[in-house]
């Protein structure tokens, strides 16, 4: 939804980071209960039952009530699907039973007040407008009016009107869940803005991203290969932010390998290699295009063999992070020739409908 609302501007990984928070923001960092709610939400989104159970125990120890936990796990079905929400609630029941057997009496907490008697579409629309700071409209909702009605009446009506969990906490859980899934990058950007509108600070956003993504740059976990560091050495040849992690250290083997990660819409310039190159897609969704040919959509496991001296570019899809291993062929004689950037128009044409 967030990609279509006017107030949702792009907040990309690295713009907000732990290192850029002000002193005042650091004073407003997440408390332990909020930290654990973020970890709970991320584990629900990824279906990681082991991490979920650990985070639920830690959240309860930090003051999460049983009814707050139920609210969070139930709300997340709207962002992660019924199966993962139901599995999470089942794990929560089991965790509570285990704690009870150990003599721990977790507080139940408040139940929600009765919902308004008027139709949920009415108070849901009002809630959505208050939450986002403006009425939510857009071509997507004109294209599919049913999803607009479901969002207003059910998500922002039936769910967000339940007042035993405040909107700031609901958005914290939502941001964490979306940050755990690379394909939801557009929605994550929007919910970061919504969360900030409802009291989440820049420092707290940075902490949520660092907790969930396990790095300081807000790069989601899209593969088991390291993210590395910002690709500053080659930044002039990239449109958007990228990250570089060298994977090999023994130069005598003559097989340089690096993991390159692209934020959504990031791509490198047209370029060529005198010795060729091999790409192995390992995470997210990306694209590869040779000059004069249609672009090829890349998913984890896809391999691209780039011939010598062929002009090409590669990068992320508009709505997904992307990561690939780059293997330099014939490294002792291989040289890169960097050319013109891939224009926004050419990139849009290459990736449209694929």
């Amino acid at each position: 939804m967030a990609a279509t609302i006017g107030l949702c501007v792009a907040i990309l990984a690295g713009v907000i980071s732990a290192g850029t928070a002000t002193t005042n923001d650091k004073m407003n960092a997440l408390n332990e209960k909020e930290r654990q709610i973020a970890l709970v939400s991320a584990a629900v989104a990824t279906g990681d039952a082991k991490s979920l159970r650990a985070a639920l125990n830690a959240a309860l120890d930090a003051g999460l009530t049983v009814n707050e936990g139920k609210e969070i796990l139930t709300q997340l079905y709207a962002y992660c699907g019924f199966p993962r929400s139901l599995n999470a609630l089942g794990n929560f029941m089991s965790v509570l039973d285990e704690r009870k057997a150990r003599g721990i009496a977790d507080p139940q907490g408040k139940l929600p007040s009765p919902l308004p008697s008027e139709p949920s579409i009415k108070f849901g629309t009002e809630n959505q407008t208050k939450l986002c700071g403006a009425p939510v409209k857009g071509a997507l909702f004109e294209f599919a009016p049913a999803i607009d009605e479901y969002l207003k009446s059910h998500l922002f009506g039936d769910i967000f009107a339940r007042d035993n969990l405040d909107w700031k906490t609901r958005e914290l859980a939502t941001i964490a869940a979306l940050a755990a899934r690379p394909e939801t990058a557009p929605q994550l950007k929007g919910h970061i803005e919504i969360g900030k509108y409802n009291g989440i600070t820049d420092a707290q956003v940075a902490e949520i991203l660092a907790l969930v993504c396990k790095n300081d740059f807000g790069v989601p976990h899209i593969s088991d290969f390291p993210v590395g560091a910002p690709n500053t050495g080659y930044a002039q040849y990239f449109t958007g932010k990228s990250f570089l992690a060298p994977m090999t250290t023994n130069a005598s083997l003559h097989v340089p390998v690096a993991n390159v990660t692209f934020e959504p819409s990031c791509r490198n310039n047209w370029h060529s290699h005198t010795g060729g190159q091999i790409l192995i897609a390992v995470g997210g969704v990306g694209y590869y295009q040779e000059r004069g040919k249609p672009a090829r959509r890349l998913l984890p496991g896809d391999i691209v063999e780039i011939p010598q001296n062929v002009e090409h570019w590669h990068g992320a899809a508009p709505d997904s992070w992307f990561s690939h291993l780059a293997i330099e062929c014939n490294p002792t004689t291989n040289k890169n020739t960097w050319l013109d950037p891939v224009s926004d128009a050419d990139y849009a044409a290459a990736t449209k409908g694929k």
Side-chain angles (χ1 to χ4, degrees):
M1 81 166 237
T4 63
I5 59 181
L7 65 89
C8 296
V9 299
I11 299 233
L12 300 172
V15 175
I16 297 174
S17 70
T20 61
T22 65
T23 300
N24 184 58
D25 278 341
K26 290 178 181 178
M27 295 172 63
N28 296 309
L30 300 176
N31 60 40
E32 185 58 24
K33 177 180 171 182
E34 291 169 331
R35 287 170 57 86
Q36 296 305 325
I37 287 173
L39 292 173
V40 163
S41 303
V44 174
T46 58
D48 185 347
K50 181 179 179 180
S51 296
L52 172 62
R53 295 175 72 89
L56 283 169
N57 270 295
L60 290 164
D61 290 341
L64 181 76
T65 69
V66 173
N67 285 325
E68 286 174 333
K70 291 178 185 178
E71 283 295 316
I72 292 166
L73 301 183
T74 300
Q75 173 189 313
L76 288 177
Y77 98 80
Y79 302 98
C80 309
F82 271 117
R84 289 190 171 174
S85 177
L86 291 168
N87 289 345
L89 286 164
N91 275 288
F92 193 30
M93 290 175 60
S94 176
V95 165
L96 291 171
D97 287 343
E98 291 173 359
R99 290 170 68 88
K100 185 177 180 180
R102 299 202 309 269
I104 302 174
D106 291 301
Q108 292 297 303
K110 295 190 306 180
L111 289 170
S113 304
L115 294 179
S117 58
E118 59 192 0
S120 59
I121 186 72
K122 182 177 187 302
F123 62 81
T125 301
E126 293 169 355
N127 283 345
Q128 186 190 50
T129 300
K130 292 176 183 176
L131 184 76
C132 298
V136 176
K137 301 177 181 178
L140 178 63
F141 300 133
E142 296 171 3
F143 173 72
I147 197 68
D148 188 34
E149 180 179 346
Y150 297 157
L151 286 169
K152 287 179 167 65
S153 63
H154 182 48
L155 179 58
F156 298 109
D158 297 334
I159 296 178
F160 270 70
R162 292 168 64 88
D163 60 4
N164 60 334
L165 196 67
D166 61 60
W167 286 356
K168 177 183 175 182
T169 304
R170 290 188 184 278
E171 282 303 312
L172 186 157
T174 300
I175 290 168
L178 294 174
R181 300 175 65 94
E183 73 277 11
T184 59
Q187 290 75 32
L188 173 61
K189 297 172 194 175
H191 277 283
I192 286 174
E193 283 299 295
I194 295 170
K196 289 170 65 177
Y197 187 77
N198 287 272
I200 298 177
T201 68
D202 282 351
Q204 289 170 337
V205 170
E207 193 170 356
I208 294 168
L209 297 180
L211 280 169
V212 173
C213 303
K214 297 181 174 60
N215 59 72
D216 290 334
F217 312 115
V219 180
H221 181 80
I222 58 175
S223 81
D224 289 334
F225 292 98
V227 170
N231 188 14
T232 54
Y234 292 88
Q236 62 184 312
Y237 305 120
F238 283 69
T239 300
K241 295 183 182 297
S242 65
F243 302 84
L244 183 66
M247 303 298 297
T248 52
T249 58
N250 190 339
S252 67
L253 296 177
H254 302 295
V255 187
V257 181
N259 186 40
V260 187
T261 301
F262 304 76
E263 71 178 359
S265 295
C266 176
R267 66 275 187 185
N268 48 32
N269 290 7
W270 291 101
H271 63 286
S272 63
H273 313 274
T274 58
Q277 188 181 46
I278 296 173
L279 307 179
I280 302 175
V282 295
V285 182
Y287 287 88
Y288 167 80
Q289 184 177 28
E290 295 180 3
R291 186 87 76 173
K293 295 183 179 181
R296 175 182 168 189
R297 189 168 185 260
L298 301 178
L299 298 174
D302 287 341
I303 298 174
V304 181
E305 298 178 78
I306 305 172
Q308 294 94 326
N309 301 311
V310 169
E311 295 181 6
H312 65 281
W313 66 266
H314 36 102
D319 57 356
S320 177
W321 288 80
F322 177 60
S323 182
H324 67 56
L325 299 180
I327 303 171
E328 185 179 356
C329 305
N330 306 298
T332 56
T333 59
N334 201 343
K335 297 185 183 303
N336 289 2
T337 300
W338 290 100
L339 304 166
D340 51 306
V342 179
S343 70
D344 289 345
D346 287 345
Y347 173 77
T351 59
K352 183 178 181 180
K354 291 182 171 31

